[in-house]
Amino acid sequence: MLVVSFGFMRGGLFLAPILLANLLSPTIYGSLEFGHALASAGAIFIALGTGSAVPLALVRKLERFSWQSIVLHQVLAATTLVVLTMILWLFGFADIVLFAVFCTAILMLQGLWSVTLKSLGYGEASLLLDFGFWGVLSLGVLTAYLFSASDIQRMQTANAVLAVYFLSLYAWTVWKFRAAPPGLFADYKSTILGGMPLMAVGVLALLATTSGRLGIGLLSSVEMTADYSILFRATALPIVVHQLIVVAKFRRVFDLPVGDLQKLLPVIITLVALSVGGFWVLADWLGFLLGPAFVKTFAAHRVEGLLILSQSVLWSAIALNDLVNNRSQTSKQAAWAAALYIAVALLGGWWFLSGAPVTLALFVPVHSLVMLGYLVVQIVVMRLCGIQLWRMWLLALASFVSFSLAAFAGLL
């Protein structure tokens, strides 16, 4: 039943952004993806690691993490974001800013309840919630499209439906917080201090892996952001394989014996790599299923699309390393090294790219190198902390390098 639910929900999550790319103009779709990228980073930062602390509070039951304090912080943060959105609207800020700030609150609460459901063993319900943002957004746009509404009217309808979705999440969170226990504020301080390293690792991993939309949005036009996002969304199918296994095994990742964990992780990487190869072979035949937006963009940027597809292996390995660091309580050590690396890598990448007109042919390889370097830094730090996952690490590195070389060979 979980596999069926996953196929439906993750399939919807995979297809919803692609549907939007075919129903909206490149300008509006590019702005939407840029706003979502900003909100994704903001949600991790504003949550201060409370989302990542949920399994530590509910599964591992570590004393310094309080479930009620986690919910308290989420309520306070969501309320602040909504008030900030209203203030920005009154002062006439750009729509993209309003969208990003408001969506930060949505993604933060959605992430909280998704990881909570996974931690409690309700994998199917968590899948439904993960689909929430993009599903609601697509429903609004599609409904307006069927009534022959303009692009702007389609987004206005989608925003109205998103507001209803946020109110549902917010009301549920407040209701769950209704019975605060004594000593809450002491627990709150402990929870936030414990969550800060988790927040830092989460933000840094996001910057290393899925920051492509942020980078291209800052350095180039919304049309190029749209092209990048279409390739990123369409080639994300291998990540669905990663998520299928992780959702099914989420609780076990935190309580499996080390030996069993070392056997499970290479299997996940292998399946992700096989999925990359499968999509690679079938890409030309899958095009008609993904719509004209993908067909046009992939034909114009085939090598870049294959490189973004290959990044799925790095994404999976980095995400698994984060889970292991979370479980092993080595996130703090990982955060310091990752922060130094990201500071140097992003500044270096920015300097390199700002010297010439930014194209996908230039941007995508640079982003691949940033991701590769981040994984190597993770490996070094984890090894120094006594964690050894050599089979997974070597498999991920070998797969990514092989796929990348094959993508560049296609130029010949």
Coordinates of all heavy atoms in Angstrom, one line a residue, residues 197-290:
P197 N 22.7 23.5 14.9 CA 23.6 22.8 14.0 C 22.8 22.0 12.9 O 23.3 22.0 11.7 CB 24.4 21.8 14.9 CG 24.3 22.3 16.3 CD 22.9 23.0 16.3
L198 N 21.7 21.5 13.2 CA 20.8 20.8 12.2 C 20.3 21.8 11.2 O 20.3 21.5 10.0 CB 19.6 20.2 12.9 CG 20.0 19.2 14.0 CD1 18.7 18.6 14.6 CD2 20.8 18.0 13.5
M199 N 20.0 23.0 11.6 CA 19.6 24.1 10.7 C 20.7 24.5 9.8 O 20.5 24.6 8.6 CB 19.1 25.3 11.5 CG 18.7 26.5 10.6 SD 20.1 27.6 10.2 CE 20.5 28.3 11.8
A200 N 21.9 24.6 10.4 CA 23.1 25.0 9.6 C 23.4 24.0 8.5 O 23.6 24.3 7.3 CB 24.3 25.2 10.5
V201 N 23.3 22.7 8.9 CA 23.6 21.7 7.9 C 22.5 21.6 6.8 O 22.8 21.4 5.6 CB 23.7 20.3 8.6 CG1 23.7 19.2 7.6 CG2 25.0 20.2 9.5
G202 N 21.3 21.8 7.2 CA 20.2 21.8 6.3 C 20.3 22.9 5.2 O 20.1 22.7 4.0
V203 N 20.6 24.1 5.7 CA 20.7 25.3 4.8 C 21.9 25.1 3.9 O 21.9 25.3 2.7 CB 20.9 26.6 5.6 CG1 21.3 27.7 4.7 CG2 19.6 26.9 6.3
L204 N 23.0 24.6 4.5 CA 24.3 24.4 3.7 C 24.1 23.3 2.6 O 24.5 23.5 1.5 CB 25.4 24.1 4.6 CG 25.9 25.2 5.5 CD1 26.8 24.7 6.6 CD2 26.5 26.3 4.7
A205 N 23.4 22.2 3.0 CA 23.1 21.2 2.0 C 22.2 21.6 0.9 O 22.4 21.3 -0.3 CB 22.5 20.0 2.7
L206 N 21.2 22.5 1.3 CA 20.3 23.0 0.3 C 21.1 23.9 -0.7 O 20.9 23.9 -1.9 CB 19.2 23.8 0.9 CG 18.1 24.4 0.0 CD1 17.2 23.2 -0.5 CD2 17.3 25.5 0.7
L207 N 22.0 24.8 -0.2 CA 22.8 25.6 -1.0 C 23.7 24.8 -1.9 O 23.9 25.2 -3.1 CB 23.7 26.6 -0.1 CG 22.9 27.7 0.6 CD1 23.9 28.4 1.5 CD2 22.2 28.6 -0.3
A208 N 24.2 23.7 -1.5 CA 25.1 22.9 -2.3 C 24.3 22.1 -3.4 O 24.8 21.9 -4.5 CB 25.9 21.9 -1.4
T209 N 23.1 21.6 -3.0 CA 22.4 20.7 -3.9 C 21.4 21.3 -4.8 O 21.4 21.2 -6.0 CB 21.8 19.6 -3.1 OG1 20.9 20.1 -2.1 CG2 22.8 18.7 -2.4
T210 N 20.4 22.0 -4.2 CA 19.3 22.5 -5.0 C 19.3 24.1 -5.1 O 18.3 24.7 -5.4 CB 18.0 22.1 -4.4 OG1 17.9 22.6 -3.0 CG2 17.8 20.6 -4.4
S211 N 20.5 24.6 -5.0 CA 20.6 26.1 -5.1 C 20.7 26.6 -6.5 O 20.9 27.7 -6.8 CB 21.9 26.6 -4.3 OG 23.0 26.0 -4.9
G212 N 20.6 25.6 -7.5 CA 20.7 26.0 -8.9 C 19.7 27.1 -9.2 O 20.0 28.0 -10.0
R213 N 18.5 26.9 -8.8 CA 17.4 27.9 -9.1 C 17.7 29.2 -8.5 O 17.4 30.3 -9.1 CB 16.1 27.3 -8.7 CG 15.6 26.1 -9.5 CD 14.3 25.6 -8.9 NE 14.6 25.1 -7.5 CZ 13.6 25.0 -6.6 NH1 12.4 25.3 -6.9 NH2 13.9 24.6 -5.3
L214 N 18.3 29.2 -7.3 CA 18.7 30.4 -6.6 C 19.8 31.1 -7.4 O 19.7 32.3 -7.7 CB 19.2 30.2 -5.2 CG 18.1 30.1 -4.1 CD1 18.8 29.7 -2.8 CD2 17.4 31.4 -3.9
G215 N 20.8 30.4 -7.7 CA 22.0 31.0 -8.5 C 21.6 31.5 -9.8 O 21.9 32.6 -10.2
I216 N 20.9 30.7 -10.6 CA 20.5 31.1 -11.9 C 19.5 32.3 -11.9 O 19.5 33.2 -12.7 CB 20.0 29.9 -12.8 CG1 20.1 30.2 -14.3 CG2 18.5 29.6 -12.4 CD1 21.5 30.1 -14.8
G217 N 18.7 32.3 -10.8 CA 17.7 33.4 -10.7 C 18.4 34.7 -10.3 O 18.0 35.8 -10.8
L218 N 19.5 34.6 -9.6 CA 20.2 35.8 -9.2 C 21.2 36.3 -10.3 O 21.4 37.5 -10.4 CB 21.0 35.6 -7.9 CG 20.2 35.4 -6.6 CD1 21.1 34.9 -5.5 CD2 19.5 36.7 -6.2
L219 N 21.7 35.4 -11.1 CA 22.7 35.7 -12.1 C 22.2 35.9 -13.5 O 22.9 36.5 -14.3 CB 23.8 34.7 -12.1 CG 24.7 34.5 -10.8 CD1 25.5 33.2 -10.9 CD2 25.6 35.7 -10.7
S220 N 20.9 35.5 -13.7 CA 20.4 35.5 -15.1 C 19.0 36.0 -15.1 O 18.5 36.5 -14.1 CB 20.6 34.1 -15.7 OG 20.3 34.2 -17.1
S221 N 18.3 35.7 -16.2 CA 17.0 36.2 -16.4 C 16.0 35.1 -15.9 O 16.3 34.0 -15.7 CB 16.7 36.4 -17.9 OG 16.8 35.2 -18.6
V222 N 14.7 35.6 -15.8 CA 13.7 34.6 -15.3 C 13.4 33.6 -16.4 O 13.0 32.4 -16.1 CB 12.4 35.4 -15.0 CG1 12.5 36.2 -13.7 CG2 11.9 36.3 -16.1
E223 N 13.6 33.9 -17.7 CA 13.4 32.9 -18.7 C 14.5 31.8 -18.6 O 14.1 30.6 -18.8 CB 13.5 33.6 -20.1 CG 12.4 34.5 -20.5 CD 12.5 35.9 -19.8 OE1 13.5 36.2 -19.3 OE2 11.5 36.6 -19.9
M224 N 15.7 32.2 -18.3 CA 16.7 31.1 -18.2 C 16.5 30.4 -16.9 O 16.8 29.2 -16.8 CB 18.1 31.8 -18.1 CG 19.3 30.7 -18.2 SD 20.9 31.5 -18.5 CE 20.7 32.1 -20.2
T225 N 16.0 31.0 -15.9 CA 15.6 30.3 -14.6 C 14.5 29.3 -14.9 O 14.5 28.2 -14.4 CB 15.1 31.3 -13.6 OG1 16.1 32.3 -13.3 CG2 14.7 30.6 -12.3
A226 N 13.6 29.7 -15.8 CA 12.5 28.7 -16.2 C 13.1 27.5 -17.0 O 12.8 26.4 -16.7 CB 11.5 29.4 -17.1
D227 N 14.1 27.8 -17.9 CA 14.7 26.7 -18.6 C 15.4 25.7 -17.6 O 15.3 24.5 -17.7 CB 15.7 27.2 -19.6 CG 15.0 27.8 -20.8 OD1 13.8 27.5 -21.0 OD2 15.7 28.6 -21.6
Y228 N 16.2 26.3 -16.7 CA 16.9 25.5 -15.7 C 15.9 24.7 -14.9 O 16.1 23.5 -14.7 CB 17.8 26.4 -14.8 CG 18.5 25.6 -13.8 CD1 19.7 25.0 -14.0 CD2 17.9 25.3 -12.5 CE1 20.4 24.2 -13.0 CE2 18.5 24.6 -11.6 CZ 19.8 24.0 -11.8 OH 20.4 23.3 -10.8
S229 N 14.9 25.3 -14.4 CA 13.9 24.7 -13.6 C 13.2 23.5 -14.3 O 12.9 22.5 -13.7 CB 12.9 25.7 -13.0 OG 13.5 26.7 -12.3
I230 N 12.9 23.7 -15.6 CA 12.2 22.6 -16.3 C 13.1 21.4 -16.4 O 12.7 20.3 -16.2 CB 11.9 23.1 -17.7 CG1 10.7 24.1 -17.7 CG2 11.5 22.0 -18.7 CD1 10.5 24.9 -19.0
L231 N 14.4 21.6 -16.7 CA 15.4 20.5 -16.7 C 15.5 19.9 -15.3 O 15.6 18.7 -15.2 CB 16.7 21.0 -17.2 CG 16.8 21.5 -18.7 CD1 18.1 22.1 -19.0 CD2 16.4 20.4 -19.6
F232 N 15.6 20.7 -14.3 CA 15.8 20.2 -12.9 C 14.6 19.4 -12.5 O 14.7 18.3 -11.9 CB 15.9 21.4 -12.0 CG 15.9 21.1 -10.5 CD1 17.0 20.5 -9.9 CD2 14.8 21.4 -9.8 CE1 17.0 20.2 -8.6 CE2 14.8 21.1 -8.4 CZ 15.9 20.5 -7.8
R233 N 13.4 19.9 -12.8 CA 12.1 19.1 -12.4 C 12.0 17.8 -13.2 O 11.6 16.8 -12.7 CB 10.9 20.0 -12.6 CG 10.9 21.2 -11.7 CD 10.8 20.9 -10.3 NE 10.7 22.0 -9.4 CZ 10.7 22.0 -8.1 NH1 10.7 20.8 -7.5 NH2 10.6 23.1 -7.4
A234 N 12.2 17.9 -14.5 CA 12.0 16.7 -15.3 C 13.0 15.6 -15.1 O 12.7 14.4 -15.2 CB 12.0 17.1 -16.8
T235 N 14.2 16.0 -14.7 CA 15.2 15.0 -14.5 C 15.3 14.5 -13.0 O 16.3 13.9 -12.6 CB 16.6 15.5 -14.9 OG1 16.9 16.7 -14.2 CG2 16.6 15.8 -16.4
A236 N 14.3 14.9 -12.2 CA 14.3 14.6 -10.8 C 13.8 13.2 -10.5 O 13.7 12.8 -9.3 CB 13.6 15.6 -10.0
L237 N 13.4 12.5 -11.5 CA 12.8 11.2 -11.3 C 13.7 10.2 -10.4 O 13.1 9.5 -9.6 CB 12.5 10.5 -12.6 CG 11.5 9.3 -12.6 CD1 10.2 9.7 -11.9 CD2 11.3 8.8 -14.0
P238 N 15.0 10.2 -10.6 CA 15.8 9.3 -9.7 C 15.7 9.7 -8.3 O 15.9 8.8 -7.4 CB 17.2 9.5 -10.3 CG 17.1 9.9 -11.7 CD 15.8 10.8 -11.7
I239 N 15.5 11.0 -8.0 CA 15.3 11.4 -6.6 C 14.1 10.8 -6.0 O 14.0 10.5 -4.8 CB 15.3 12.9 -6.5 CG1 16.6 13.5 -6.9 CG2 15.0 13.4 -5.1 CD1 16.7 15.0 -7.0
V240 N 13.1 10.5 -6.8 CA 11.8 9.9 -6.3 C 12.2 8.5 -5.8 O 11.6 8.0 -4.8 CB 10.8 9.8 -7.5 CG1 9.6 8.9 -7.0 CG2 10.4 11.2 -7.9
V241 N 13.1 7.8 -6.5 CA 13.5 6.4 -6.0 C 14.2 6.5 -4.6 O 13.9 5.8 -3.7 CB 14.5 5.8 -7.0 CG1 15.0 4.5 -6.5 CG2 13.8 5.6 -8.4
H242 N 15.1 7.5 -4.5 CA 15.7 7.8 -3.2 C 14.6 8.0 -2.1 O 14.7 7.4 -1.0 CB 16.6 9.0 -3.3 CG 17.1 9.6 -2.0 ND1 18.3 9.3 -1.4 CD2 16.5 10.4 -1.1 CE1 18.4 9.9 -0.3 NE2 17.3 10.6 0.0
Q243 N 13.7 8.9 -2.4 CA 12.7 9.2 -1.4 C 11.8 8.0 -1.1 O 11.3 7.9 0.1 CB 11.8 10.4 -1.9 CG 12.7 11.7 -2.0 CD 12.0 12.8 -2.7 OE1 11.1 12.6 -3.6 NE2 12.3 14.0 -2.3
L244 N 11.5 7.2 -2.1 CA 10.7 6.0 -1.8 C 11.3 5.1 -0.7 O 10.6 4.7 0.2 CB 10.5 5.2 -3.1 CG 9.9 3.8 -3.0 CD1 8.5 3.8 -2.4 CD2 10.0 3.0 -4.3
I245 N 12.6 4.9 -0.8 CA 13.2 4.0 0.2 C 13.3 4.7 1.5 O 13.1 4.1 2.6 CB 14.6 3.6 -0.4 CG1 14.5 2.9 -1.7 CG2 15.3 2.6 0.6 CD1 15.8 2.6 -2.4
V246 N 13.7 6.0 1.5 CA 13.9 6.7 2.7 C 12.6 6.9 3.5 O 12.6 6.7 4.7 CB 14.6 8.1 2.5 CG1 14.6 9.0 3.7 CG2 16.0 7.9 1.9
V247 N 11.5 7.2 2.8 CA 10.2 7.3 3.5 C 9.9 5.9 4.1 O 9.4 5.9 5.3 CB 9.1 7.8 2.5 CG1 7.8 7.6 3.2 CG2 9.4 9.2 2.2
A248 N 10.1 4.9 3.4 CA 9.7 3.5 3.9 C 10.6 3.1 5.1 O 10.2 2.4 6.0 CB 9.8 2.5 2.8
K249 N 11.8 3.6 5.1 CA 12.8 3.2 6.1 C 13.2 4.3 7.1 O 14.2 4.2 7.8 CB 14.1 2.7 5.4 CG 13.9 1.5 4.4 CD 13.6 0.2 5.1 CE 13.5 -0.9 4.2 NZ 13.2 -2.2 4.8
F250 N 12.4 5.4 7.1 CA 12.8 6.6 7.9 C 13.1 6.3 9.3 O 14.1 6.6 9.8 CB 11.7 7.7 7.7 CG 12.2 9.0 8.3 CD1 13.0 9.8 7.6 CD2 11.8 9.4 9.6 CE1 13.4 11.1 8.1 CE2 12.2 10.6 10.1 CZ 13.0 11.4 9.4
R251 N 12.1 5.6 10.0 CA 12.4 5.3 11.4 C 13.6 4.4 11.6 O 14.3 4.5 12.5 CB 11.1 4.6 12.0 CG 10.0 5.6 12.4 CD 8.9 4.8 13.1 NE 9.3 4.3 14.3 CZ 9.2 4.9 15.5 NH1 8.7 6.1 15.6 NH2 9.6 4.3 16.6
R252 N 13.8 3.4 10.7 CA 14.8 2.5 10.8 C 16.2 3.1 10.6 O 17.2 2.6 11.2 CB 14.6 1.3 9.8 CG 13.3 0.6 10.0 CD 13.4 -0.8 9.5 NE 14.4 -1.6 10.2 CZ 14.9 -2.8 9.7 NH1 14.6 -3.2 8.5 NH2 15.8 -3.5 10.5
V253 N 16.3 4.2 9.8 CA 17.5 4.9 9.7 C 18.1 5.4 11.0 O 19.3 5.4 11.2 CB 17.4 6.1 8.7 CG1 18.6 7.0 8.7 CG2 17.2 5.5 7.3
F254 N 17.1 5.7 11.9 CA 17.6 6.2 13.2 C 17.7 5.1 14.3 O 18.2 5.4 15.4 CB 16.5 7.3 13.7 CG 16.7 8.6 13.0 CD1 16.0 8.8 11.8 CD2 17.5 9.6 13.4 CE1 16.1 10.0 11.1 CE2 17.7 10.8 12.7 CZ 17.0 11.0 11.5
D255 N 17.3 3.9 14.0 CA 17.5 2.9 15.0 C 18.1 1.6 14.5 O 18.3 0.6 15.3 CB 16.1 2.6 15.7 CG 15.0 2.1 14.8 OD1 15.4 1.7 13.7 OD2 13.9 2.2 15.2
L256 N 18.5 1.5 13.2 CA 19.2 0.4 12.7 C 20.6 0.2 13.3 O 21.2 1.2 13.6 CB 19.3 0.5 11.2 CG 18.2 -0.1 10.3 CD1 18.6 0.2 8.8 CD2 18.0 -1.6 10.5
P257 N 21.0 -1.0 13.5 CA 22.4 -1.2 13.9 C 23.4 -0.6 12.8 O 23.0 -0.6 11.6 CB 22.6 -2.7 14.0 CG 21.2 -3.2 14.3 CD 20.3 -2.3 13.5
V258 N 24.5 -0.2 13.2 CA 25.4 0.4 12.2 C 25.7 -0.5 11.0 O 25.8 0.0 9.9 CB 26.8 0.9 12.9 CG1 27.8 1.4 11.9 CG2 26.5 1.9 14.0
G259 N 26.0 -1.7 11.3 CA 26.3 -2.7 10.2 C 25.2 -2.8 9.2 O 25.4 -2.8 8.0
D260 N 23.9 -2.8 9.7 CA 22.8 -2.9 8.7 C 22.6 -1.6 8.0 O 22.3 -1.6 6.8 CB 21.5 -3.2 9.5 CG 21.5 -4.6 10.1 OD1 22.3 -5.5 9.6 OD2 20.7 -4.8 11.0
L261 N 22.9 -0.5 8.6 CA 22.8 0.8 7.9 C 23.9 0.9 6.8 O 23.6 1.4 5.7 CB 23.0 1.9 8.9 CG 22.8 3.4 8.4 CD1 21.3 3.6 8.1 CD2 23.2 4.4 9.5
Q262 N 25.1 0.4 7.1 CA 26.1 0.4 6.1 C 25.8 -0.5 4.9 O 26.2 -0.2 3.7 CB 27.4 -0.1 6.7 CG 28.0 0.9 7.7 CD 29.3 0.3 8.4 OE1 29.5 -0.9 8.5 NE2 30.1 1.2 8.9
K263 N 24.9 -1.5 5.0 CA 24.5 -2.3 3.9 C 23.3 -1.6 3.1 O 23.2 -1.8 1.9 CB 24.0 -3.7 4.4 CG 25.1 -4.5 5.0 CD 24.6 -5.8 5.6 CE 25.7 -6.6 6.3 NZ 25.1 -7.9 6.9
L264 N 22.5 -0.9 3.9 CA 21.3 -0.3 3.2 C 21.7 0.9 2.3 O 21.1 1.0 1.2 CB 20.3 0.2 4.3 CG 19.1 1.0 3.8 CD1 18.2 0.2 2.9 CD2 18.3 1.5 5.0
L265 N 22.6 1.8 2.8 CA 22.8 3.0 2.1 C 23.4 2.8 0.6 O 23.0 3.5 -0.3 CB 23.8 3.9 2.9 CG 23.3 4.3 4.3 CD1 24.2 5.2 4.9 CD2 21.9 4.9 4.1
P266 N 24.4 1.8 0.4 CA 24.8 1.6 -1.0 C 23.7 1.1 -1.9 O 23.7 1.4 -3.1 CB 25.9 0.5 -0.8 CG 26.4 0.7 0.6 CD 25.1 1.0 1.4
V267 N 22.7 0.4 -1.3 CA 21.6 -0.1 -2.1 C 20.8 1.1 -2.7 O 20.4 1.1 -3.8 CB 20.7 -1.0 -1.3 CG1 19.4 -1.3 -2.1 CG2 21.4 -2.3 -0.9
I268 N 20.6 2.1 -1.8 CA 19.9 3.3 -2.2 C 20.6 4.0 -3.4 O 20.0 4.4 -4.4 CB 19.7 4.3 -1.0 CG1 18.8 3.6 0.1 CG2 19.0 5.5 -1.5 CD1 18.7 4.4 1.3
I269 N 21.9 4.2 -3.2 CA 22.7 4.8 -4.2 C 22.7 4.0 -5.5 O 22.6 4.6 -6.6 CB 24.2 5.0 -3.7 CG1 24.2 6.0 -2.6 CG2 25.1 5.5 -4.9 CD1 23.8 7.4 -2.9
T270 N 22.8 2.7 -5.4 CA 22.7 1.9 -6.6 C 21.4 2.1 -7.4 O 21.4 2.2 -8.6 CB 22.9 0.4 -6.2 OG1 24.2 0.2 -5.6 CG2 22.8 -0.5 -7.5
L271 N 20.3 2.1 -6.7 CA 19.0 2.2 -7.3 C 18.9 3.6 -7.9 O 18.3 3.8 -9.0 CB 17.9 2.0 -6.3 CG 17.8 0.5 -5.8 CD1 16.7 0.4 -4.7 CD2 17.5 -0.4 -7.0
V272 N 19.4 4.6 -7.3 CA 19.3 6.0 -7.8 C 20.2 6.1 -9.1 O 19.7 6.6 -10.1 CB 19.8 7.0 -6.8 CG1 20.0 8.4 -7.4 CG2 18.9 7.1 -5.6
A273 N 21.4 5.5 -9.1 CA 22.2 5.5 -10.3 C 21.6 4.7 -11.4 O 21.6 5.2 -12.6 CB 23.6 4.8 -9.9
L274 N 20.9 3.6 -11.1 CA 20.2 2.8 -12.2 C 19.1 3.7 -12.8 O 18.8 3.6 -14.0 CB 19.7 1.5 -11.6 CG 20.7 0.5 -11.3 CD1 20.1 -0.7 -10.6 CD2 21.5 0.0 -12.6
S275 N 18.4 4.4 -11.9 CA 17.3 5.3 -12.4 C 17.9 6.4 -13.3 O 17.2 6.8 -14.2 CB 16.6 5.9 -11.2 OG 16.1 4.9 -10.3
V276 N 19.0 6.9 -12.9 CA 19.6 8.0 -13.8 C 19.9 7.4 -15.2 O 19.6 8.0 -16.2 CB 21.0 8.5 -13.2 CG1 21.7 9.3 -14.2 CG2 20.7 9.3 -11.9
G277 N 20.5 6.2 -15.2 CA 20.7 5.5 -16.5 C 19.5 5.2 -17.3 O 19.4 5.4 -18.5
G278 N 18.4 4.8 -16.5 CA 17.2 4.5 -17.2 C 16.5 5.8 -17.8 O 16.1 5.7 -19.0
F279 N 16.5 6.9 -17.1 CA 16.0 8.1 -17.6 C 16.8 8.6 -18.8 O 16.3 9.1 -19.8 CB 16.0 9.2 -16.5 CG 15.2 10.5 -16.9 CD1 13.9 10.7 -16.5 CD2 15.8 11.4 -17.7 CE1 13.2 11.8 -16.9 CE2 15.2 12.6 -18.1 CZ 13.9 12.8 -17.7
W280 N 18.1 8.4 -18.7 CA 19.0 8.8 -19.8 C 18.7 8.2 -21.1 O 18.6 8.8 -22.1 CB 20.5 8.5 -19.4 CG 21.6 9.1 -20.1 CD1 21.7 9.1 -21.5 CD2 22.7 9.8 -19.6 NE1 22.9 9.7 -21.9 CE2 23.5 10.1 -20.7 CE3 23.1 10.1 -18.3 CZ2 24.7 10.8 -20.6 CZ3 24.3 10.8 -18.2 CH2 25.1 11.1 -19.3
V281 N 18.4 6.8 -21.0 CA 18.1 6.1 -22.2 C 16.8 6.4 -22.8 O 16.6 6.5 -24.0 CB 18.2 4.6 -21.9 CG1 17.7 3.7 -23.0 CG2 19.6 4.2 -21.5
L282 N 15.8 6.7 -21.9 CA 14.4 6.9 -22.3 C 14.0 8.3 -22.5 O 12.9 8.6 -22.8 CB 13.5 6.2 -21.2 CG 13.6 4.7 -21.0 CD1 12.7 4.2 -19.9 CD2 13.3 4.0 -22.3
A283 N 15.0 9.3 -22.3 CA 14.6 10.7 -22.2 C 13.9 11.1 -23.5 O 12.9 11.9 -23.5 CB 15.9 11.5 -22.0
D284 N 14.4 10.7 -24.7 CA 13.8 11.1 -25.9 C 12.3 10.6 -26.1 O 11.5 11.2 -26.6 CB 14.6 10.7 -27.1 CG 16.0 11.4 -27.1 OD1 16.0 12.6 -26.7 OD2 17.0 10.8 -27.6
W285 N 12.1 9.4 -25.5 CA 10.7 8.8 -25.6 C 9.8 9.4 -24.6 O 8.6 9.4 -24.7 CB 10.8 7.3 -25.5 CG 11.4 6.6 -26.7 CD1 10.8 6.2 -27.9 CD2 12.8 6.3 -26.9 NE1 11.7 5.7 -28.8 CE2 12.9 5.7 -28.2 CE3 14.0 6.5 -26.1 CZ2 14.2 5.3 -28.7 CZ3 15.2 6.1 -26.7 CH2 15.3 5.5 -27.9
L286 N 10.4 9.8 -23.4 CA 9.6 10.3 -22.4 C 9.1 11.8 -22.6 O 8.2 12.3 -22.0 CB 10.4 10.3 -21.0 CG 10.6 8.9 -20.4 CD1 11.5 9.0 -19.2 CD2 9.2 8.3 -20.0
G287 N 9.8 12.4 -23.6 CA 9.5 13.8 -23.8 C 8.1 14.2 -24.0 O 7.6 15.2 -23.4
F288 N 7.4 13.4 -24.8 CA 6.0 13.7 -25.1 C 5.1 13.6 -23.9 O 4.1 14.3 -23.8 CB 5.4 12.8 -26.2 CG 5.1 11.4 -25.7 CD1 3.8 11.1 -25.4 CD2 6.1 10.4 -25.6 CE1 3.4 9.8 -25.0 CE2 5.7 9.2 -25.2 CZ 4.4 8.8 -24.9
L289 N 5.5 12.8 -22.9 CA 4.8 12.7 -21.6 C 5.0 13.9 -20.7 O 4.1 14.3 -19.9 CB 5.1 11.4 -20.8 CG 4.8 10.1 -21.5 CD1 5.4 9.0 -20.7 CD2 3.3 9.9 -21.7
L290 N 6.1 14.6 -20.9 CA 6.5 15.7 -20.0 C 6.1 17.0 -20.6 O 6.2 18.1 -20.0 CB 8.0 15.7 -19.7 CG 8.5 14.4 -19.0 CD1 10.0 14.5 -18.9 CD2 7.9 14.2 -17.7

